[in-house]
Amino acid sequence: KWTHTAESHSDFFFNDTATTEIYTEQIVGSVRCVQETGLVLIKQQEYEFALEQLQESVKVQEDALQAPCERLALGYQAIAQCCFELRRYGEARAAYAQSIEIQKSLGFDTDELEKLVEVCDDYIYKEHQFFQQQQQLTLSQA
């Protein structure tokens, strides 16, 4: 006699290749929607909200996909753009670095992205210098 348990159902669901592929396609489809919403928000200069949307879509992709893909790399690029616009240069640099890593693994040229990392590094350096100057000014006035 065959009995149906939650455990046997879950084993079937996640071991059945076709079902898993359909599940993955559904996730990727919904992620695509969220990412596209994030990109629209970037165009509207709603960077904070776009950043939340994009970070969520990237997390879902990382959890669902078994290998990095171009869409994930593009998600990180969009996150980096939002962070840069919000003057969160360290986070922008990290997101660009993630995108570079993925794109290199896929065989894409990353020269342009590496230039953007250098731009972030310049801004980070300038912020650090400014902070140090402010500290010295505060100490000299005390």
Side-chain angles (χ1 to χ4, degrees):
K1 180 178 176 185
W2 184 79
T3 58
H4 179 76
T5 65
E7 189 175 279
S8 66
H9 177 70
S10 108
D11 285 345
F12 168 76
F13 181 79
F14 289 106
N15 289 329
D16 177 50
T17 307
T19 306
T20 304
E21 286 175 15
I22 291 168
Y23 175 72
T24 302
E25 286 176 21
Q26 288 173 340
I27 287 174
V28 169
S30 64
V31 165
R32 219 177 260 136
C33 255
V34 172
Q35 253 184 358
E36 288 169 7
T37 301
L39 296 176
V40 167
L41 291 167
I42 288 173
K43 288 180 183 174
Q44 296 172 350
Q45 298 183 350
E46 296 287 339
Y47 301 114
E48 196 70 49
F49 188 58
L51 181 59
E52 290 173 19
Q53 296 288 308
L54 293 163
Q55 286 173 326
E56 184 176 323
S57 75
V58 163
K59 183 181 178 344
V60 169
Q61 284 181 76
E62 286 178 329
D63 292 345
L65 302 175
Q66 296 181 357
C69 66
E70 188 175 3
R71 182 164 290 281
L72 183 59
L74 294 174
Y76 274 114
Q77 278 181 250
I79 288 171
Q81 182 182 354
C82 289
C83 290
F84 191 86
E85 295 293 340
L86 293 167
R87 299 175 190 238
R88 292 158 57 175
Y89 304 117
E91 291 175 56
R93 187 195 192 289
Y96 279 129
Q98 283 290 110
S99 184
I100 288 169
E101 182 181 325
I102 293 166
Q103 290 195 32
K104 280 184 177 179
S105 76
L106 296 172
F108 292 114
D109 178 36
T110 59
D111 291 344
E112 292 299 316
L113 285 177
E114 289 174 18
K115 289 177 187 172
L116 292 172
V117 168
E118 290 174 13
V119 169
C120 290
D121 286 341
D122 287 345
Y123 276 97
I124 292 167
Y125 178 74
K126 287 175 185 174
E127 279 186 334
H128 182 70
Q129 280 185 319
F130 178 77
F131 179 72
Q132 284 184 328
Q133 289 172 350
Q134 292 296 344
Q135 264 188 327
Q136 289 173 355
L137 184 62
T138 303
L139 290 175
S140 69
Q141 291 176 348

